[in-house]
Amino acid sequence: MATVEHEPSTRLSPAVRLHLAGLRGHIRRYVWLEGLAAAVVWLGLSLWGSLALDWCLELPLPVRAVLLAAVVGGLVVVLFRYILHRAFVPMSDSSMATLYERKFPQFNDSLLTTVTLAGRSAHESGYNPAMLGNTRALVEDRLREVHPGKVINPYPLRQKTVLAACLLGSIALLTLVASPILELWAQRNLLLANKFWPRHIRLQPLGFNDGIAKVASGANFELRVQAFQGDASVPLIPDSAEIRYRVDAGSRGRYTMQSIGSGGSIAATGSGGAAQVLREFRHTFPGVLSTIHFDVIGGDARLRDLVLQVVPNPVLNELKLHYEYPSYMERTSAPQTVAGAMPVPVGTRLTVTGTSNKALEAVRIDCPAAEKRAAWSQDISGTELGDARNTFSYTFDPFPSALAPTTTGASIKTASQAAPPRDCLLLFTLHDTDGIKSREPIPLALVAVPDEPPEVKLRRNGIGNAITANARLPVTGKITDDHGLAKAWFDYTVWFEGKDAKKTSATIPLADLPRHPQEFVVPEAAMEAADAKLARGQKMLLTVRASDLCTLGAGANIGSSESWQIDVVSADELRSMLEARELVLRQRFESIVQEMTETRDLLLKKEFWPMDQDAPTVKNKVAGAEPGEKAAVAKALTAEEMKSRRLESTLMALQNCRKNVQETVGVAEGVDDIRLQLINNRIDTEELKLRLEGGVAKPLHRIIDNLFPILDQRLESLQEVVADEKQGPDRRNLARQQADEIVVAMRNVLSRMMAMEDFNVAVLERLRKIIKVQEDVTNRTEKRRTQRIKDLLE
């Protein structure tokens, strides 16, 4: 039977496997320890770093959240890199043998050869079993001389371990010394709580609600920040505070706030335990037009994320007035939009209605004090602002009706002449729901319109300053009142001249006005002197008065015309006065006729010379010429000089013409007035009226209305062609003809006036004789009547 030769075993010996497993364990422990040390270092550095940043800058919540996420992410990276990436990687025996070979060169690849050929047959691998056995024996002997821990570099682990120990020690020391700080750090940076670090001072802004203050667009905003004692026992008051801002429009910047108050260690609480303001800082943002985001930094305190929000300024979009007039005015009115100063009749009840551009919290109405008017104010809020809270209304009496009526006319002075009501100024201040007050009070000027007395614009018509006792006193014109007339009447006073003369006053109705017109035209209304029982030698003061419908105060207002003082004379005296006036008019008219004749002569002298004839010459005086010497030199006129002379003479004629028209109108009015006075005083005769009217007045009006306008027109036409040698003479001749016609007509009127004067003398003489005969008859009749009475008594 054949013998089978067995190969020696190629498996690794227990000693080799033990050494390789020991190295593998050392590596894994190293990886875990280094990874944990690195994680501790990362967390410790993160704690101190975030603590330093948060302590110095007091990071806002978003930044702290980002920082926490970064720390967690960094921890994951460290754990993955130092532990997860290496601790679970498979480590074969050949890899361990390679590490031994690299660290200990004395193995000379024997350990790697032993591990590589372990478990392989010599036949398959082609090695000598005897030699492999010797190599194994050599490896086992050399493994007894090495330690697995020397294969790994210990310095990185030691560094991380030392650094981790230092960090853990510092954290432990912080926990022992200032555990509240570490606890607050954990709350702020781990739990992301919105708590603040202990401060030496505490800042508080005034006027902010949840970090937001509102300001009207374009208005200034004064930021006020007060400093109080913080958590420290002794406050460290900063000398200044800084604003760091960002505007929505895009700009950024910084401001240093103005400090108010003194620094130093000041008690943190005042009386009653209330916090005491240590210092106040102020800054004014001028003309804010866009929302501003800002922080305030002072000392170790910081106010973050303050917002200055721009909102519209409260204004009145519409302001209307509703008038409730006194009943006697019988007026209704629609609401009137306020525009400037608004007139308000006295006694009117007024309702002011306003509409704002935004919701309101309150409206304040102020009326400043004025002369004889006390100041007052009124607040409107709540339900008075309407459902939308943007409207308000206020009803009041700006000018009370308990005022006495007024009168016009110097002759009436009563207690009713009270001081007129003062104008009223209202100031509206709007307070909106944003807490904004209108920048300036909105003014409303109310102008008091008192019920004025009637305006009596009447004049005498055909009555002078002297009348007969039987005269008729006509007046003409119109009477007006702003709210309606009630009645009009004559008011007169009669007296004899003298110191102790007794005056008698009375009234005579002029017109009753049941329809109460605002304007009453008086074509002619007359008072009969006989109704006043006038006598020669008396004086009368005559006035026309009118009353309105006013029911305020003491009643109706009374208006008066001008007052006329009239003398009562006899018929002869009045005729003498009118004769004297007629004489003055005739003399005036004579001068007018003379001036008109000179104007006509001026036109007669106006000549036109054709251009092909020699120009006329004028004589100019020689300077310094003595009597008897050569006094003048002939000088030919140029065309321009001739034109200038013609134009000058035409303008002079036109000016004289217009002057004569006005003077002739005055004469005609005087003649008409004489004629009317004769009629109204009842001292005229039919023949006298015909002579005045047909012989003087009508011809004068014909001259004024018909002849003078034609002359004026022809002179203006001549003025246009003064340089025209063809048309000029024709138009000059037309003007001459018209001037001749006017002069002839005026001379005819003048001759009639002179003839009338002689007639008047004869008529007056005849009238005087008739009056004398009538007086004699009256005297004899009175004597006979007296004698009969005596006879009867006897």
Side-chain angles (χ1 to χ4, degrees):
M1 183 173 187
T3 302
V4 180
E5 185 179 354
H6 294 278
E7 296 180 0
S9 175
T10 58
R11 295 182 179 179
L12 292 176
S13 63
V16 174
R17 285 198 300 272
L18 182 60
H19 274 81
L20 295 177
L23 179 57
R24 190 179 292 110
H26 272 286
I27 292 175
R28 294 190 185 280
R29 285 192 298 274
Y30 185 96
V31 167
W32 278 97
L33 290 176
E34 185 183 22
L36 293 175
V40 171
V41 169
W42 168 253
L43 293 176
L45 292 176
S46 298
L47 185 150
W48 285 109
S50 62
L51 179 60
L53 287 174
D54 199 24
W55 178 270
C56 296
L57 303 179
E58 199 163 32
L59 301 174
L61 179 61
V63 177
R64 286 183 275 128
V66 171
L67 189 61
L68 178 60
V71 171
V72 173
L75 179 62
V76 171
V77 171
V78 169
L79 293 176
F80 178 78
R81 178 179 177 183
Y82 286 96
I83 298 177
L84 300 178
H85 184 61
R86 299 187 297 174
F88 301 101
V89 175
M91 292 180 283
S92 62
D93 290 342
S94 59
S95 299
M96 299 298 101
T98 303
L99 291 175
Y100 269 118
E101 293 285 352
R102 290 178 181 176
K103 184 64 179 179
F104 304 108
Q106 60 267 31
F107 282 104
N108 196 19
D109 293 335
S110 59
L111 179 57
L112 182 60
T113 301
T114 301
V115 171
T116 301
L117 295 178
R120 298 183 181 183
S121 65
H123 177 72
E124 294 176 355
S125 302
Y127 61 83
N128 189 329
M131 293 180 65
L132 180 61
N134 293 332
T135 301
R136 287 178 179 174
L138 180 61
V139 166
E140 291 177 358
D141 291 339
R142 291 179 177 175
L143 283 174
R144 295 188 185 97
E145 300 174 358
V146 299
H147 190 274
K150 295 182 179 181
V151 176
I152 303 171
N153 184 8
Y155 293 107
L157 178 59
R158 289 176 183 174
Q159 292 175 352
K160 292 180 177 63
T161 303
V162 170
L163 185 56
C166 292
L167 291 171
L168 289 174
S170 64
I171 294 171
L173 182 61
L174 178 63
T175 303
L176 294 175
V177 175
S179 60
I181 292 179
L182 186 61
E183 181 181 353
L184 183 57
W185 170 86
Q187 291 177 350
R188 285 179 53 82
N189 293 273
L190 299 182
L191 302 179
L192 300 179
N194 195 20
K195 294 186 176 182
F196 300 98
W197 290 105
R199 299 297 186 194
H200 289 283
I201 64 167
R202 177 171 55 88
L203 299 179
Q204 180 177 341
L206 301 181
F208 283 75
N209 186 14
D210 294 331
I212 298 176
K214 296 180 180 181
V215 60
S217 178
N220 298 339
F221 180 81
E222 184 182 44
L223 173 64
R224 298 176 59 193
V225 177
Q226 293 180 342
F228 300 88
Q229 181 175 355
D231 303 304
S233 59
V234 178
L236 298 178
I237 304 174
D239 294 328
S240 63
E242 184 181 62
I243 300 174
R244 298 177 184 178
Y245 70 90
R246 173 180 59 84
V247 184
D248 280 352
S251 61
R252 297 173 178 268
R254 299 186 180 190
Y255 292 123
T256 299
M257 301 186 70
Q258 180 184 2
S259 175
I260 299 175
S262 60
S265 298
I266 305 176
T269 57
S271 61
Q276 179 181 353
V277 178
L278 304 181
R279 181 167 291 177
E280 184 173 306
F281 303 96
R282 295 182 183 180
H283 175 75
T284 300
F285 291 94
V288 182
L289 297 173
S290 183
T291 298
I292 300 175
H293 304 265
F294 62 95
D295 297 343
V296 178
I297 302 171
D300 61 352
R302 182 165 186 162
L303 297 173
R304 295 182 178 276
D305 300 327
L306 298 179
V307 179
L308 188 57
Q309 183 179 355
V310 175
V311 296
N313 192 57
V315 297
L316 285 178
N317 291 335
E318 188 178 56
L319 192 62
K320 290 186 176 182
L321 300 182
H322 301 255
Y323 293 84
E324 184 181 341
Y325 296 103
S327 58
Y328 76 89
M329 293 185 182
E330 298 181 353
R331 291 179 58 184
T332 58
S333 71
Q336 297 185 24
T337 301
V338 172
M342 300 296 292
V344 180
V346 172
T348 299
R349 188 168 179 79
L350 200 64
T351 299
V352 183
T353 303
T355 302
S356 174
N357 62 330
K358 57 192 303 189
L360 300 176
E361 189 68 29
V363 177
R364 182 176 179 85
I365 305 175
D366 292 291
C367 181
E371 184 179 354
K372 298 183 180 180
R373 181 190 292 276
W376 57 267
S377 61
Q378 178 70 33
D379 292 321
I380 301 174
S381 59
T383 57
E384 297 175 307
L385 295 174
D387 296 336
R389 300 188 66 84
N390 67 337
T391 61
F392 66 91
S393 63
Y394 177 61
T395 302
F396 70 115
D397 295 322
F399 309 111
S401 60
L403 295 171
T406 57
T407 61
T408 61
S411 62
I412 292 185
K413 295 182 180 179
T414 65
S416 64
Q417 293 178 329
R422 308 301 302 178
D423 296 341
C424 180
L425 176 65
L426 300 184
L427 301 175
F428 295 86
T429 303
L430 308 182
H431 299 263
D432 62 20
T433 52
D434 291 326
I436 303 298
K437 181 178 72 172
S438 53
R439 192 175 307 171
E440 296 290 340
I442 302 164
L444 170 59
L446 302 177
V447 179
V449 181
D451 189 352
E452 298 290 346
E455 187 174 10
V456 183
K457 293 183 177 180
L458 297 178
R459 58 180 177 83
R460 294 176 296 179
N461 186 23
I463 285 294
N465 293 328
I467 62 171
T468 64
N470 195 34
R472 177 176 174 269
L473 307 177
V475 293
T476 184
K478 65 178 180 179
I479 306 174
T480 58
D481 186 73
D482 45 5
H483 301 299
L485 296 164
K487 61 181 180 178
W489 64 93
F490 290 100
D491 192 329
Y492 66 92
T493 302
V494 178
W495 72 96
F496 283 99
E497 189 145 10
K499 291 185 178 180
D500 301 327
K502 182 180 179 182
K503 295 184 178 181
T504 303
S505 299
T507 62
I508 296 177
L510 186 150
D512 284 325
L513 306 169
R515 295 188 177 182
H516 311 305
Q518 292 183 348
E519 179 178 283
F520 174 57
V521 177
V522 184
E524 185 175 280
M527 168 187 167
E528 293 293 338
D531 294 339
K533 300 179 180 180
L534 300 178
R536 179 179 175 277
Q538 285 185 323
K539 293 183 179 295
M540 180 174 69
L541 186 66
L542 178 64
T543 308
V544 177
R545 306 191 190 280
S547 62
D548 61 11
L549 302 171
C550 180
T551 58
L552 305 179
N557 299 307
I558 298 175
S560 304
S561 68
E562 62 174 312
S563 297
W564 305 291
Q565 183 171 325
I566 302 172
D567 296 330
V568 182
V569 298
S570 65
D572 284 345
E573 290 173 333
L574 182 58
R575 287 191 187 96
S576 299
M577 294 177 185
L578 295 178
E579 285 177 11
R581 185 178 175 190
E582 184 181 353
L583 179 61
V584 172
L585 289 175
R586 182 176 64 79
Q587 292 173 349
R588 282 178 55 192
F589 192 61
E590 285 179 353
S591 65
I592 295 171
V593 174
Q594 180 61 33
E595 290 179 3
M596 190 61 209
T597 303
E598 293 174 357
T599 302
R600 189 270 315 272
D601 295 342
L602 183 63
L603 290 174
L604 291 173
K605 295 177 183 178
K606 182 182 291 296
E607 299 293 342
F608 287 82
W609 292 270
M611 300 300 294
D612 55 353
Q613 294 183 7
D614 294 336
T617 60
V618 294
K619 292 184 178 181
N620 294 331
K621 183 177 180 181
V622 178
E626 295 294 335
E629 298 180 359
K630 187 176 181 181
V633 213
K635 177 183 177 183
L637 294 177
T638 64
E640 190 64 31
E641 289 174 337
M642 288 191 294
K643 177 182 176 182
S644 176
R645 284 174 177 262
R646 294 170 189 165
L647 182 60
E648 181 180 353
S649 62
T650 304
L651 288 175
M652 185 180 298
L654 183 60
Q655 182 179 358
N656 291 342
C657 174
R658 291 173 178 173
K659 173 176 173 290
N660 292 335
V661 170
Q662 298 301 322
E663 292 177 346
T664 306
V665 169
V667 172
E669 290 177 349
V671 172
D672 288 337
D673 186 64
I674 291 174
R675 182 177 60 85
L676 291 175
Q677 288 199 47
L678 290 172
I679 295 172
N680 290 328
N681 284 280
R682 295 185 171 95
I683 58 173
D684 61 314
T685 63
E686 192 65 28
E687 185 177 2
L688 187 59
K689 286 194 295 184
L690 290 175
R691 285 177 178 271
L692 277 173
E693 184 175 2
V696 179
K698 286 186 177 180
L700 283 177
H701 285 294
R702 176 179 170 273
I703 294 171
I704 295 167
D705 299 335
N706 299 334
L707 300 183
F708 268 116
I710 296 175
L711 178 58
D712 189 278
Q713 181 181 0
R714 290 180 179 180
L715 288 174
E716 287 184 349
S717 177
L718 176 59
Q719 183 181 345
E720 297 173 358
V721 295
V722 291
D724 193 333
E725 304 297 339
K726 294 182 179 180
Q727 300 185 37
D730 294 338
R731 297 190 180 182
R732 175 203 59 197
N733 294 335
L734 291 174
R736 285 177 182 175
Q737 294 174 5
Q738 187 65 24
D740 284 338
E741 185 177 353
I742 292 175
V743 170
V744 171
M746 294 178 78
R747 285 177 177 174
N748 290 336
V749 172
L750 182 60
S751 63
R752 292 192 187 98
M753 292 177 72
M754 296 178 68
M756 187 181 298
E757 184 178 351
D758 297 336
F759 172 78
N760 288 341
V761 172
V763 170
L764 287 174
E765 185 62 30
R766 189 184 308 168
L767 288 174
R768 289 191 185 99
K769 291 180 180 179
I770 294 172
I771 292 171
K772 186 176 181 181
V773 170
Q774 287 180 346
E775 290 178 351
D776 292 341
V777 171
T778 302
N779 291 333
R780 288 198 298 268
T781 302
E782 287 294 330
K783 287 180 181 179
R784 289 180 181 178
R785 185 178 300 169
T786 304
Q787 186 61 40
R788 286 181 180 178
I789 293 172
K790 288 180 179 180
D791 294 342
L792 291 174
L793 291 175
E794 291 177 355

